[in-house]
Amino acid sequence: MVSRPPRITDVSRSAPLAPITTTAPSVHAVHAVHAVHAVPAVCLALVLTACGGGVHGAPGGSGVHDPYYPKAGNGGYDVTHYALDLAYEPGPRPRLTGTATLTARAARDLSAFDLDLKGLDVHGVTVEGRPARFSRAGQELTVRPHDGLDAHHTFRVTVRYSGAPETLTDPDGTREGWLPTADGALALGEPTGSMTWFPGDHHPSDKATYDLAVTVPKGLRAVSNGELTGETTRGGRTRFTWHTAEPMASYVATLAVGRYAVRRSTTRDGLPVYVAVDPAEAAASRPVLARIPEIMAWAQDAFGRYPFSSTGAIVDAAPDVGYALETQNRPVFPQAPDVGTLVHELAHQWFGDSVTPRTWRDMWLNEGFATYAEWLWDEDHGGPSAQRTFDALYAHGEDEYPGLWDFPPAEPGDAAHLSGTPVYQRGAMVLHEIRRTVGDTAFRALLRGWAAAHRHGNADTADFTAYVERTAPRKDFTRVWDDWLYGQGRPDRP
């Protein structure tokens, strides 16, 4: 993610089960067959599940105990695929109607499980085609299948819902979730905003493939991740279908609705490029976006084989959004980007989208790498060397980046500092210190090797430090870790 300002070269638990609805069927319990008072007491002891339905196991639990977003994600299962069928009507009273079918695998015997969903009205839930009980509490949608789910069993849950999607304000003051624009909307999900437009397991540790179908008024386009597999217009409305074959964390899933001009091309090695631009930003964007093939060729040389089936960008006319985001395959820009911002977000396709943090504490593995990619690009294209950029930051960094030394990049402290300057700039400085320790050739190999070792997976800071030490067993990284990665304040000059 890259914020503006400065320079637009940067910026991206368990709880008890809620009670079962005890009233007549409503939008929150349309499939409850009996009121609670009618269920024999012996069944209430079985976690209030359907009596005689063969229910066994225990609830999956809400949240995965992320250190900064403890309610994000859910326990007891792993989602492997999302099939989302949506219709959106923009305007002064916007409305989203959706059916989400999730394919998941139970990690243990489950009597119930949770999905993350913020706002919106739920009209019905089925598990394996059978109506299921459900209840709402905050962002938790608790589902109780008619029959318990066996460990290692693959199951499907379908949720029907509608309403006006919400815009969330993060602890650092930025906005995410469903962001209305002049002619449509942008759905941006870092770190938890995707739960405002579809139910799921919304934590970066659970990645899945996606099929997305979106129906919008004729004249608008719906742009998402992956590949466009269909576009049909009927009765004044157009339906777009998108398929994402590679695993994707929900926070880099996107949906952009608007009057975009679309341009298709390929890179020199045949990789498809799909660019969607708001006409108001077309002229300013054109010279920068034309460099995507050049940037991709450079990035593949620096970071290794590109991990996805296509590349590109979405450029909207929404400057109030305030940041660009590395949405998978094609990052989103709220206005025409500069080259540094484009390099940053395309580098995230390796570092963040393919190699995804295991927890939100590991954010520097996204942003430090993408920021250092900007340094490398400048170094390779007639700009200052990475060493000069490092030296300038060390000497005068707080003038341009206030708070540079406020906390170590690997320990932001809380969610409000997740996108703080140390995560980005000092994170890049950590990588430069590693480069100084191992040498240029070994460092370039390390970048490619790290991206390959965790391709389409998750990793945390401990994984990274262990990987670095394995690749250079005769080097001492004690000072790099103690002073630059975890140390408080400005380290002594190297």
Side-chain angles (χ1 to χ4, degrees):
M1 179 164 58
V2 179
S3 65
R4 310 171 182 253
R7 191 205 146 186
I8 199 170
T9 58
D10 177 312
V11 200
S12 44
R13 183 191 311 11
S14 195
L17 283 174
I20 294 182
T21 304
T22 60
T23 60
S26 67
V27 293
H28 294 307
V30 294
H31 293 300
V33 179
H34 301 289
V36 168
H37 67 267
V39 180
V42 66
C43 291
L44 290 175
L46 297 176
V47 201
L48 291 174
T49 49
C51 186
V55 175
H56 62 284
S62 61
V64 293
H65 306 282
D66 186 275
Y68 296 160
Y69 287 91
K71 292 184 179 180
N74 299 286
Y77 65 91
D78 171 64
V79 180
T80 58
H81 185 71
Y82 289 89
L84 307 177
D85 193 342
L86 310 177
Y88 182 60
E89 191 66 44
R93 301 184 66 182
R95 182 173 180 82
L96 179 71
T97 302
T99 299
T101 299
L102 286 62
T103 303
R105 185 172 182 266
R108 57 180 182 268
D109 292 345
L110 291 175
S111 62
F113 59 90
D114 280 31
L115 300 172
D116 300 314
L117 182 65
K118 186 74 168 66
L120 301 171
D121 296 320
V122 175
H123 305 299
V125 180
T126 63
V127 178
E128 293 292 79
R130 302 191 68 176
R133 288 179 158 189
F134 63 91
S135 57
R136 304 289 300 277
Q139 71 184 52
E140 302 300 326
L141 168 62
T142 302
V143 179
R144 298 174 176 84
H146 181 275
D147 300 307
L149 299 170
D150 294 332
H152 314 302
H153 172 69
T154 297
F155 64 94
R156 287 190 177 185
V157 54
T158 298
V159 181
R160 295 184 296 105
Y161 59 99
S162 67
E166 296 184 11
T167 299
L168 305 181
T169 300
D170 291 332
D172 65 0
T174 57
R175 298 183 307 139
E176 58 160 332
W178 195 266
L179 305 172
T181 61
D183 57 0
L186 280 176
L188 301 178
E190 187 177 80
T192 63
S194 293
M195 67 180 175
T196 65
W197 58 286
F198 66 95
D201 192 22
H202 291 300
H203 188 265
S205 59
D206 192 357
K207 301 168 75 169
T209 57
Y210 283 70
D211 280 295
L212 176 65
V214 189
T215 302
V216 295
K218 182 180 177 181
L220 299 182
R221 300 195 70 86
V223 184
S224 189
N225 314 87
E227 309 311 315
L228 180 65
T229 58
E231 178 181 340
T232 57
T233 299
R234 186 175 303 152
R237 299 183 69 79
T238 305
R239 179 179 174 87
F240 298 87
T241 56
W242 293 86
H243 175 66
T244 301
E246 300 89 2
M248 179 167 68
S250 65
Y251 82 91
V252 288
T254 192
L255 174 58
V257 177
R259 299 185 184 279
Y260 301 109
V262 170
R263 182 176 181 273
R264 297 172 182 262
S265 60
T266 59
T267 63
R268 282 174 290 179
D269 58 357
L271 182 71
V273 180
Y274 184 102
V275 172
V277 182
D278 187 291
E281 295 293 321
S285 297
R286 191 173 296 113
V288 177
L289 298 181
R291 302 188 72 174
I292 288 177
E294 176 192 359
I295 294 170
M296 291 300 297
W298 171 84
Q300 290 196 83
D301 181 65
F303 310 135
R305 183 165 59 96
Y306 181 63
F308 303 115
S309 57
S310 67
T311 187
I314 301 168
V315 181
D316 212 322
D320 290 345
V321 171
Y323 60 89
L325 186 64
E326 61 269 22
T327 46
Q328 193 159 301
N329 295 84
R330 53 191 55 83
V332 170
F333 304 91
Q335 59 193 77
D338 63 13
V339 173
T341 306
L342 184 59
V343 168
H344 184 107
E345 303 305 339
L346 290 176
H348 269 310
Q349 304 303 305
W350 282 264
F351 307 112
D353 294 10
S354 177
V355 184
T356 302
R358 198 179 308 278
T359 76
W360 286 114
R361 178 182 286 151
D362 305 303
M363 183 74 153
W364 84 276
L365 290 173
N366 290 11
E367 302 302 346
F369 275 78
T371 301
Y372 199 72
E374 295 181 67
W375 296 15
L376 291 175
W377 171 268
D378 288 345
E379 181 175 85
D380 292 345
H381 293 83
S385 68
Q387 184 63 53
R388 284 187 60 190
T389 302
F390 179 97
D391 290 342
L393 264 178
Y394 187 87
H396 308 292
E398 285 193 300
D399 295 341
E400 185 177 2
Y401 301 102
L404 175 62
W405 309 110
D406 282 0
F407 56 84
E411 292 182 343
D414 57 34
H417 295 93
L418 199 60
S419 293
T421 294
V423 173
Y424 290 72
Q425 302 300 328
R426 190 168 164 182
M429 297 176 91
V430 170
L431 295 175
H432 191 70
E433 282 295 287
I434 295 171
R435 178 181 176 181
R436 286 164 48 91
T437 301
V438 302
D440 287 356
T441 301
F443 179 73
R444 295 281 184 156
L446 187 152
L447 289 178
R448 292 190 294 269
W450 172 249
H454 295 277
R455 183 181 175 91
H456 298 314
N458 294 88
D460 58 21
T461 300
D463 293 324
F464 178 69
T465 57
Y467 178 82
V468 171
E469 291 174 355
R470 285 197 307 273
T471 61
R474 293 182 176 84
K475 301 294 185 178
D476 183 4
F477 296 94
T478 302
R479 186 171 181 274
V480 179
W481 307 149
D482 290 352
D483 293 354
W484 290 92
L485 185 58
Y486 287 104
Q488 298 291 336
R490 185 170 77 161
D492 291 337
R493 189 173 186 87

